[in-house]
Amino acid sequence: MDITEVMTSNIETCNLKSSCGEVANMMKNLDVGVIPICEDNKLIGLITDRDLVIKGLANNFNANTQISEMITTDVITGTRHTSVEQAMEIMSQYQIRRLPIVDDGKLIGMVSLGDLAVSNASNKEAGKALEDISIPAEPTK
């Protein structure tokens, strides 16, 4: 199965000048935990609800702070030619719950672990992906 059959397309995005407050409200209104960051239609990063808390609030940033200081820029992506099985492997390997799908650097969709779980892919494979993604991090010493 091709990833385009299960991905969510028409993804809402922000840019580097967006504020923490704007992103948080967007997440609330869309009921999502991640917003892609794009410039000139190219994916340049992601910001998650966790980023807003750990990189933002915990560092005394406020609702007006631009998200450029908090985004993740080393984003793992798939392409329109990625299969559902390959997406699960990528997500398991990198322990990520969401995989942006790009075409020549341009964001065309997003696939989540939930999308994969309800696709025609094997429930066993989706369960394995969840298990791999959910391995707890080791405490830093």
Side-chain angles (χ1 to χ4, degrees), residues 12-37 46-52 63-68 70-71:
E12 296 286 329
T13 66
C14 288
N15 61 52
L16 290 173
K17 294 181 182 176
S18 299
S19 71
C20 291
E22 291 170 326
V23 172
N25 281 322
M26 181 180 276
M27 287 178 179
K28 176 184 172 186
N29 293 336
L30 296 171
D31 192 26
V32 297
V34 64
I35 300 289
I37 310 305
L46 296 174
I47 188 159
T48 66
D49 46 5
R50 188 173 193 278
D51 292 331
L52 289 174
N64 296 319
T65 303
Q66 289 183 348
I67 59 168
S68 58
M70 291 168 257
I71 69 169

Side-chain angles (χ1 to χ4, degrees), residues 62-113:
N62 63 43
N64 296 319
T65 303
Q66 289 183 348
I67 59 168
S68 58
E69 299 181 53
M70 291 168 257
I71 69 169
T72 299
T73 56
D74 56 339
V75 179
I76 307 300
T77 61
T79 70
R80 71 173 58 251
H81 305 292
T82 301
S83 69
V84 168
E85 292 78 16
Q86 290 169 323
M88 281 191 256
E89 289 174 20
I90 292 167
M91 294 168 80
S92 292
Q93 178 182 354
Y94 293 99
Q95 293 188 306
I96 55 177
R97 296 177 182 272
R98 303 164 193 99
L99 183 68
I101 306 301
V102 297
D103 186 22
D104 195 28
K106 181 181 177 187
L107 181 69
I108 61 168
M110 183 82 74
V111 65
S112 71
L113 189 57

